[in-house]
Amino acid sequence: MKKTGYMDDGNITLLAKGVELKGEIKVEGTVRIDGRLEGDVQTKGEVIVGEDGIVKGTISAGSLISSGRIKATVTATERVQLLKTATLIGEVHCPVMVMEEGAKFQGVSDMGATAWPEEAPRLPGNVRDMNQHRGRSVALIGKEPDL
């Protein structure tokens, strides 16, 4: 069972195939778009864009799963997943981005990296790097080896 950061009561907001909406959708749970939306989607839950779905505007969600077409600024607190038929043009802000082979993305992504480390991260003082001990020969002094 998938664990999310919001309360899901099983309600899904659906924009069905053939439906066109200009405006804003604000909900707490899951939004599925199989029609055409020109505007904004805001949810703490999940946004699913089906193969026939088209979104132009902004998407702010916990996660986004798309197999449709999106031209938007996307902000996801958990992840963005583009399935093989998806096309996304725009800005993406998320900690995790997954793209299947065949998915298309053109734009800018921001996954939270703020700096390039100049050297390898140091281990805490009580943790030793075992690589420095490899290749050294060890001699046992004063004790017969147990066989």
Side-chain angles (χ1 to χ4, degrees):
M1 178 173 214
K2 189 172 110 176
K3 192 174 188 180
T4 58
Y6 68 95
M7 301 273 298
D8 186 8
D9 57 4
N11 289 331
I12 296 177
T13 302
L14 174 64
L15 186 64
K17 185 176 177 178
V19 176
E20 293 185 24
L21 175 68
K22 288 185 181 182
E24 187 174 80
I25 299 173
K26 282 186 180 181
V27 295
E28 290 292 317
T30 300
V31 177
R32 177 161 180 118
I33 300 170
D34 289 314
R36 183 183 187 108
L37 171 67
E38 194 170 319
D40 304 332
V41 179
Q42 292 182 352
T43 180
K44 293 179 183 176
E46 189 170 66
V47 173
I48 302 167
V49 180
E51 279 191 50
D52 297 315
I54 298 173
V55 178
K56 292 182 180 180
T58 62
I59 298 173
S60 178
S63 63
L64 167 68
I65 299 173
S66 177
S67 54
R69 295 179 286 167
I70 299 172
K71 189 171 190 177
T73 299
V74 177
T75 303
T77 56
E78 294 176 27
R79 69 186 295 148
V80 170
Q81 183 174 359
L82 301 178
L83 304 177
K84 63 183 176 182
T85 58
T87 300
L88 194 155
I89 298 171
E91 287 183 36
V92 177
H93 305 271
C94 64
V96 176
M97 187 168 178
V98 179
M99 291 179 60
E100 286 185 353
E101 186 175 340
K104 295 174 182 69
F105 170 66
Q106 178 180 335
V108 178
S109 65
D110 176 3
M111 296 177 68
T114 57
W116 180 277
E118 293 301 321
E119 58 185 52
R122 297 184 185 263
L123 297 171
N126 60 348
V127 177
R128 294 190 181 144
D129 184 2
M130 295 307 292
N131 285 328
Q132 13 176 311
H133 299 290
R134 292 197 180 154
R136 294 183 183 175
S137 55
V138 178
L140 203 55
I141 301 174
K143 185 175 178 189
E144 290 295 318
D146 294 331
L147 296 176

